[in-house]
Amino acid sequence: MSLVKSREAILFGAILLLLALISTRFSGFVTPKNLAGVFNDTSPLIILALGQMVVILTRCIDLSVAANLALTGMVCAMINVAAPDLPVVVILMVALAMGAALGAINGLLVWKLDIPPIVVTLGTMTIFRGVIFLLSKGQWINAHEMSPAFTGFARGVIWGLPVLGWIAIATIAVMFVVMSRTTLGRAFFAVGGNPHAAVYTGINVGRTQFLAFVISGALAGLTGYLWIARYAVAYVDIAGGFELDVVAACVIGGISIAGGSGSVIGTLLGALFLGVVKNALPVVDISPFWQLAISGAAIIIAVTFNARAGRTKGRVILKSAEHAQ
């Protein structure tokens, strides 16, 4: 626990240092209004990263989240074009259900056919993108084709923060409760920490991994509608490559690729770190292409930190065993 807390403290300090450095070039960046805007911009990444966190904790990975987002978003946009008077709450339910169904496909293939998660999700990522093209025939759906209610929901402002940001906050709260206060949350950690021991405690490893993919898919579907509503455009390649940012947010936030270790707060901080970098680079006249280099460097540092921490933990366990003998 102390390791997790120290990791979160270091990351929080890095974000504060980054903000301080940016403020020396552009003081307006750290105003409350602008920081609220940065949080809102980062909200889709936060929601997706929280879903990916659960999957990675169970020793899996979901590379299809961005494609799930794009497919669900396109379907929601097409439904809105066909039935513009349909209430937004129905669209939200469709997005969640469809996203969860796409996630369930991944989960079933991993669980029942025992196919490696990276292979499954690489395949479904391509399939989902292909389905978008078949449904849309390669055509875009633009703002003038969408109803004001459809696009206005995510943009509505409550107490200075758009609804998109509030949904991200609600997702953080729900996931925090699930991971810290429920049997399912503990099962995610147990399966990732030691799947063989988890079996002996009565946990169905395959079913737990399946549920992780369903949660990840549902959050991707929700983000799909919110993304389309916010940017008021739907097309085949929307959010292309965004799955890499999602994985990066988790790794930077301390989620161990080996599974079983990490936290909701760490994932949130990892996403915020990338969000600040992405929003700050244009402000300080640095090419956005540097974002890729910075993200890559942060991932390497984070993975190295995780590996060293894991080896240290292993040595402590071995020393304890020697003293016990």
Side-chain angles (χ1 to χ4, degrees):
M1 184 61 70
S2 60
L3 176 64
V4 173
K5 288 181 178 178
S6 65
R7 175 62 173 269
E8 293 170 353
I10 292 170
L11 188 52
F12 183 68
I15 293 173
L16 291 180
L17 178 61
L18 187 59
L19 289 174
L21 291 173
I22 295 165
S23 67
T24 62
R25 296 284 297 273
F26 179 63
S27 59
F29 189 86
V30 294
T31 61
K33 182 178 180 181
N34 189 70
L35 290 178
V38 171
F39 180 83
N40 190 60
D41 289 343
T42 312
S43 292
L45 178 59
I46 292 171
I47 298 171
L48 289 175
L50 289 171
Q52 186 75 255
M53 170 197 73
V54 179
V55 175
I56 294 177
L57 281 175
T58 63
R59 296 193 177 188
C60 296
I61 193 167
D62 187 357
L63 298 179
S64 68
V65 285
N68 184 331
L69 177 162
L71 176 54
T72 306
M74 176 61 79
V75 169
C76 288
M78 294 178 73
I79 290 174
N80 178 247
V81 171
D85 295 328
L86 198 66
V88 171
V89 65
V90 177
I91 297 291
L92 285 168
M93 292 173 64
V94 169
L96 283 166
M98 183 174 176
L102 295 176
I105 293 172
N106 290 329
L108 285 172
L109 290 172
V110 171
W111 179 16
K112 297 299 184 181
L113 299 185
D114 200 27
I115 305 173
I118 192 169
V119 176
V120 168
T121 55
L122 274 173
T124 53
M125 174 179 71
T126 307
I127 292 170
F128 295 164
R129 292 285 181 186
V131 172
I132 300 171
F133 186 84
L134 291 174
L135 288 175
S136 66
K137 296 181 174 60
Q139 300 298 310
W140 290 34
I141 297 178
N142 295 303
H144 68 275
E145 301 174 79
M146 302 177 188
S147 70
F150 181 88
T151 57
F153 175 76
R155 303 176 185 180
V157 177
I158 301 174
W159 295 334
L161 185 67
V163 170
L164 173 58
W166 286 112
I167 292 176
I169 291 172
T171 305
I172 294 165
V174 170
M175 291 303 296
F176 184 83
V177 172
V178 168
M179 300 307 294
S180 62
R181 296 286 185 268
T182 68
T183 303
L184 180 60
R186 290 189 288 273
F188 290 141
F189 284 104
V191 167
N194 191 328
H196 300 295
V199 172
Y200 287 111
T201 62
I203 297 173
N204 186 320
V205 173
R207 180 175 176 274
T208 303
Q209 292 175 333
F210 166 78
L211 291 174
F213 277 107
V214 170
I215 291 173
S216 176
L219 292 178
L222 172 64
T223 309
Y225 160 65
L226 296 172
W227 186 297
I228 299 299
R230 186 189 181 206
Y231 295 108
V233 65
Y235 55 94
V236 174
D237 293 326
I238 203 163
F242 200 60
E243 60 276 346
L244 301 180
D245 286 345
V246 174
V247 173
C250 291
V251 174
I252 293 169
I255 307 300
S256 174
I257 293 296
S261 177
S263 69
V264 171
I265 301 302
T267 304
L268 168 63
L269 291 173
L272 288 175
F273 176 84
L274 291 179
V276 170
V277 169
K278 183 177 181 180
N279 281 272
L281 293 185
V283 171
V284 295
D285 295 327
I286 298 175
S287 170
F289 291 107
W290 276 102
Q291 180 195 349
L292 298 174
I294 294 172
S295 299
I299 291 171
I300 293 172
I301 293 170
V303 170
T304 302
F305 188 93
N306 287 343
R308 290 178 63 86
R311 286 198 297 270
T312 302
K313 183 179 178 182
R315 284 196 291 270
V316 170
I317 292 172
L318 288 172
K319 287 179 181 178
S320 299
E322 289 172 0
H323 288 310
Q325 291 176 356

